[in-house]
Amino acid sequence: MKRVPITVLTAFVFSCVLQAQGLIRYGFACEDVVAYNPAAESRGVLIGRSGNTLAVFSNYRFCSGDCFAESLMDSEIFFNSVTDKGTISFGLSYDGYSFFDNHTFFGRVSRSASLKNGGEISFGSGLSIVEDEIHLDQLVFPRGTGTVSRLRPDIDLGCEYRKDGWRLGAAVKNLLSLKARVDGYGFVQYPRSVLLNASKDCLIGSGWTITPFFFGGYIQGLSGDFGARLSKNDSFFVTYAFRTMDLCNIISAGAAFSDFISAGLSLDCSTEHSSSTLGALISFRF
């Protein structure tokens, strides 16, 4: 007679814990805002401002505490194409957890328009199809063995305004925020998030630019990345940011080694979760 309330409680706890994992927080967030806002413009070092880019991204989390609900590794391969009219991108990602894995196919498209004041505005949308593979033998409830698969679609919407070095954007990510259910209980859900991005490019001479930025919003509570980016043309950047959600210090750097290949590394250290994440991205432009 006690199994039902215990099962409900277990499912509720897992659902609440895993919602917070639904937004993959790249260490390269400032470089690749398009991963969160489909209308955003790429920075140019790792993801080209024009033409085509094929990129591979991966990170690994080092955790000294209980990592049961933590994503230990995620990887992504994606293609991005920029024209005068907008951007189209699509790709595949893998996210591995302790008791489930997910594979996501995503596509994003944006369209830009020039304004009479000399600025530019773009609107974008994204569609993702998430396959969750839940390993029942890693769970107490529901009882079972083997792996069950569930599909969840989701939608992203965004807009961005650009003028005189300013970039101001707003987006809704995971608009549908559906749950992956097993025996009627929801075990995996990505949170519906309202995100803002703001930055200002300030030229300091000889091709160097410093860019203060903010990225964040409401993700089961207010959270934000506050930082600055130092870059030289489209050939090199280094970024520092502080993330309030996880009390994280984030450092990232990248360089274009030729017109064809670029690469970057990121490292974040969370004092709240006693964990660190090392990320790497390599891209090919053509």
Side-chain angles (χ1 to χ4, degrees), residues 128-277:
S128 59
I129 304 295
V130 183
E131 180 201 19
D132 296 300
E133 294 184 350
I134 302 172
H135 310 299
L136 297 180
D137 53 354
Q138 300 292 322
L139 298 174
V140 177
F141 297 106
R143 298 181 186 277
T145 59
T147 300
V148 296
S149 179
R150 298 289 185 268
L151 292 178
R152 294 181 291 123
D154 225 320
I155 296 172
D156 303 333
L157 300 173
C159 63
E160 187 177 69
Y161 172 74
R162 298 178 287 273
K163 186 178 187 296
D164 297 333
W166 282 98
R167 301 177 187 218
L168 304 172
V172 178
K173 189 167 179 63
N174 304 319
L175 181 63
L176 302 181
S177 190
L178 301 177
K179 292 183 179 180
R181 296 183 177 274
V182 179
D183 292 346
Y185 300 106
F187 277 81
V188 186
Q189 180 186 29
Y190 287 176
R192 184 180 298 111
S193 305
V194 179
L195 302 171
L196 304 174
N197 62 278
S199 64
K200 175 65 168 76
D201 293 336
C202 304
L203 300 177
I204 56 177
S206 303
W208 289 92
T209 302
I210 188 166
T211 305
F213 66 87
F214 166 80
F215 170 75
Y218 187 85
I219 312 165
Q220 289 190 302
L222 295 177
S223 174
D225 293 3
F226 298 85
R229 175 184 189 263
L230 178 67
S231 61
K232 183 174 177 59
N233 298 323
D234 282 345
S235 61
F236 168 81
F237 77 89
V238 61
T239 298
Y240 170 79
F242 177 77
R243 179 170 300 154
T244 61
M245 173 181 281
D246 303 318
L247 300 181
C248 261
N249 293 288
I250 308 164
I251 299 173
S252 62
F257 298 102
S258 69
D259 292 337
F260 174 65
I261 187 169
S262 300
L265 292 173
S266 69
L267 177 67
D268 69 58
C269 300
S270 170
T271 57
E272 180 178 357
H273 299 298
S274 299
S275 63
S276 301
T277 303

Side-chain angles (χ1 to χ4, degrees), residues 30-31 40-53 80-88 110 112 120 160 162 165-167 199 201-203 207 209 211 229 231-237 259 262 283-286:
C30 181
E31 299 303 308
E41 181 183 61
S42 299
R43 284 288 177 184
V45 179
L46 297 179
I47 311 298
R49 297 179 190 267
S50 61
N52 303 313
T53 301
N80 194 74
S81 179
V82 182
T83 67
D84 293 338
K85 295 182 179 180
T87 301
I88 183 171
S110 71
S112 302
E120 183 181 47
E160 187 177 69
R162 298 178 287 273
W166 282 98
R167 301 177 187 218
S199 64
D201 293 336
C202 304
L203 300 177
T209 302
T211 305
R229 175 184 189 263
S231 61
K232 183 174 177 59
N233 298 323
D234 282 345
S235 61
F236 168 81
F237 77 89
D259 292 337
S262 300
S283 61
F284 306 91
R285 286 177 283 188
F286 53 95

Side-chain angles (χ1 to χ4, degrees), residues 54-148:
L54 179 66
V56 178
F57 165 83
S58 185
N59 69 30
Y60 187 84
R61 177 170 298 215
F62 303 89
C63 185
S64 60
D66 182 6
C67 291
F68 183 75
E70 296 288 339
S71 173
L72 299 181
M73 182 183 72
D74 55 78
S75 302
E76 184 175 297
I77 181 170
F78 63 94
F79 171 81
N80 194 74
S81 179
V82 182
T83 67
D84 293 338
K85 295 182 179 180
T87 301
I88 183 171
S89 62
F90 56 87
L92 293 168
S93 68
Y94 165 81
D95 204 0
Y97 291 73
S98 52
F99 68 89
F100 80 96
D101 304 320
N102 69 44
H103 306 83
T104 302
F105 171 80
F106 61 87
R108 308 181 185 103
V109 62
S110 71
R111 287 293 177 265
S112 302
S114 299
L115 303 176
K116 292 182 179 180
N117 67 354
E120 183 181 47
I121 191 168
S122 59
F123 297 92
S125 60
L127 172 67
S128 59
I129 304 295
V130 183
E131 180 201 19
D132 296 300
E133 294 184 350
I134 302 172
H135 310 299
L136 297 180
D137 53 354
Q138 300 292 322
L139 298 174
V140 177
F141 297 106
R143 298 181 186 277
T145 59
T147 300
V148 296

